[in-house]
Amino acid sequence: MIKEKTFYKSFMVLALSLALQNLLTYGVNLMDTMMLGRYSQDAMGGVSLCNQVQFLLQMLVVGAGEGAVVMGSQYWGKNKLEPIPHIIGVALRFGGSLAVLMFGIVLFFPHQLLSLLSNSPTVIAEGEKYFQIICFTYIIFTITNILVASLRSIGVVKIGYMISGSTLIINVCLNYCLIYGHFGCPELGVRGAAIATLVSRCVELLIVIYYLKFKEHKLNLSLRKLVHIDTSYVQDYMHVSLPVLINQALWGIAQMVQTGILGHLGGDATAANAIAVQVYQVLSVVCYGAASASGIVVGRTIGEGNQQRLRPLVYTLQVLFVSIGLCSGLLIFLLRAPILALLGGTLTETAYKYSLQFMMVLAITTVGTSYQMACDNGIIRGGGDTKFSAKMNIISMWLIVVPFSAMAAFWWKFPPVVVFFLLKWDQLYKIIPVAIRLHSWKWVKKVTRPDTAEG
């Protein structure tokens, strides 16, 4: 274990900063869920389906941005910042292309897409209204988040929660006016929520552009630097980022399939899943913040060539992950009823019962998530091994989780809570392969070019 107090202080500051950014980001969707939940259960259910598509986009953006984070943090550790703007330029091209593809699918095939996730005509109708507007945020969201992720690789994290905080405030205020029709505004329901999010995303992009132009002086990023890049970095980027992107894409699609399985169990299960997932995302932000922080710390340590510090660093991080997981799980367990009192204004009695059960499952699985996800996406991926996670999750999700949960729902006719557990139990059993890989130390890989090649 590392004994220097300065390490714990600097790590927790970084982890909590990233957690705050995640909290504010997830808070936008949570406020949509809460405010629409008091407007109409069908409206909340429809938007929750659309948010699964947003989640897929978010996974693709993470995949595109993660290559820049892994490579950038190692170059930062070597004190070589010149390649980073080229890597960011590649990531923006890659992520932007995916966002354009998602925009086209949602714009032209909204009904077909939503029909895969639910069999409720009223829920699908509400989702289509939301899709017609929200798809215009996809490209804006992608550009903003890749830029913010790239800055995170060199330790710049404050801009992330400044952006997310402004988005949350704007979104809540506009939601209040446009969903319910307050202060002379029209009552637009789900369309009002979509317009509020669109405005918020535009403000996000303007803030990050202002920050890059006037406040950021390490990389001195400019439009010219991002457009005129050294294309020789494309191969380096793809080598690191493509396995992550494949993993994130398959994970996002799997989450949509899971939503579809629950969605075909009825509107009550759809609404309960919408609330449980949003609450989980908000209350587990420290787990994900610690994972992101560990990736940066491990990547920088490898970039510095400080192998002696790596082993105590990894052991220390594992203890922190387990501790954070236990605290997060306890928090979900204790707060599930009070939160439902706030979120469940229009829930039926059955949907309310399902929500309590689903959150109980998440309180248990969060402990596993905090350890194995942080070790996998943080330490192992930050160490340069981006292929292990993709292989493990393909096997886990598509050969175990999806088949068994689908059979439980449609063949064996198990109760929704059992189906929900089978959709989440991978967070527990993946502890074993992740721990084995972690302690093999085969994940330590340098993804930067040798100094002679850079000159």
Side-chain angles (χ1 to χ4, degrees), residues 195-244:
I195 292 171
T197 302
L198 176 58
V199 173
S200 302
R201 298 301 184 203
C202 291
V203 172
E204 273 186 345
L205 183 57
L206 291 175
I207 292 174
V208 77
I209 290 172
Y210 173 84
Y211 182 85
L212 290 173
K213 186 171 179 61
F214 298 107
K215 300 293 183 180
E216 199 285 313
H217 303 299
K218 290 183 180 179
L219 299 177
N220 292 314
L221 286 178
S222 63
L223 182 61
R224 184 178 180 279
K225 282 187 177 181
L226 296 175
V227 171
H228 301 287
I229 62 170
D230 182 350
T231 55
S232 67
Y233 284 98
V234 173
Q235 186 175 355
D236 294 354
Y237 171 84
M238 293 298 291
H239 178 73
V240 174
S241 201
L242 193 59
V244 182

Side-chain angles (χ1 to χ4, degrees), residues 6-35:
T6 53
F7 164 78
Y8 292 97
K9 181 179 179 180
S10 60
F11 179 81
M12 290 311 298
V13 167
L14 180 58
L16 292 174
S17 296
L18 294 170
L20 178 59
Q21 180 185 338
N22 288 335
L23 175 63
L24 295 171
T25 299
Y26 292 136
V28 174
N29 288 338
L30 178 65
M31 293 308 298
D32 279 351
T33 299
M34 182 171 71
M35 298 177 85

Side-chain angles (χ1 to χ4, degrees), residues 427-445:
Q427 301 303 306
L428 299 175
Y429 68 68
K430 283 195 297 188
I431 292 174
I432 298 173
V434 167
I436 292 172
R437 182 65 177 179
L438 186 68
H439 292 280
S440 74
W441 298 96
K442 295 178 181 179
W443 48 270
V444 181
K445 303 175 187 292

Side-chain angles (χ1 to χ4, degrees), residues 294-315:
S294 66
I296 296 169
V297 172
V298 169
R300 186 179 184 183
T301 303
I302 293 173
E304 292 171 343
N306 193 352
Q307 296 296 324
Q308 291 183 336
R309 186 174 177 80
L310 195 57
R311 285 183 180 269
L313 172 62
V314 169
Y315 288 124

Side-chain angles (χ1 to χ4, degrees), residues 74-75 78 80 83 233 236 446-455:
Q74 290 200 17
Y75 275 117
K78 295 176 70 172
K80 290 200 172 282
Y233 284 98
D236 294 354
K446 286 197 173 185
V447 297
T448 57
R449 297 181 182 181
D451 292 341
T452 53
E454 289 170 5

Side-chain angles (χ1 to χ4, degrees), residues 48-60 102 105-106 109-110 112-118 131 138 248-264 270 273 397-398 402 405 410 423-424:
S48 75
L49 299 182
C50 297
N51 283 339
Q52 289 302 310
V53 179
Q54 171 71 28
F55 180 77
L56 173 59
L57 174 66
Q58 192 168 332
M59 292 298 98
L60 294 175
M102 291 285 292
I105 293 173
V106 170
F109 305 103
Q112 293 87 337
L113 193 56
L114 289 167
S115 297
L116 297 174
L117 303 177
S118 177
F131 258 162
Y138 290 172
Q248 298 298 113
L250 291 174
W251 182 259
I253 293 170
Q255 296 306 304
M256 291 179 63
V257 171
Q258 292 182 18
T259 300
I261 291 171
L262 289 170
H264 285 81
T270 300
N273 181 54
M397 187 57 65
W398 296 103
V402 170
S405 56
F410 307 125
L423 289 169
K424 304 298 178 185

Side-chain angles (χ1 to χ4, degrees), residues 355-413:
S355 298
L356 282 176
Q357 293 173 343
F358 290 2
M359 280 191 275
M360 175 65 78
V361 171
L362 290 173
I364 296 169
T365 60
T366 294
V367 182
T369 302
S370 181
Y371 176 78
Q372 61 85 16
M373 179 276 302
C375 288
D376 181 14
N377 294 351
I379 298 174
I380 294 175
R381 187 181 293 176
D385 184 356
T386 57
K387 295 180 180 179
F388 167 76
S389 182
K391 294 175 184 176
M392 179 185 67
N393 284 319
I394 288 172
I395 295 171
S396 172
M397 187 57 65
W398 296 103
L399 298 183
I400 300 175
V401 172
V402 170
F404 275 90
S405 56
M407 287 189 290
F410 307 125
W411 189 2
W412 300 322
K413 305 294 183 182

Side-chain angles (χ1 to χ4, degrees), residues 11 15 51 146 178 185 242-243 286 327 390 406 444:
F11 179 81
N51 283 339
I146 288 179
L178 297 176
C185 296
L242 193 59
V286 178
C327 293
V444 181

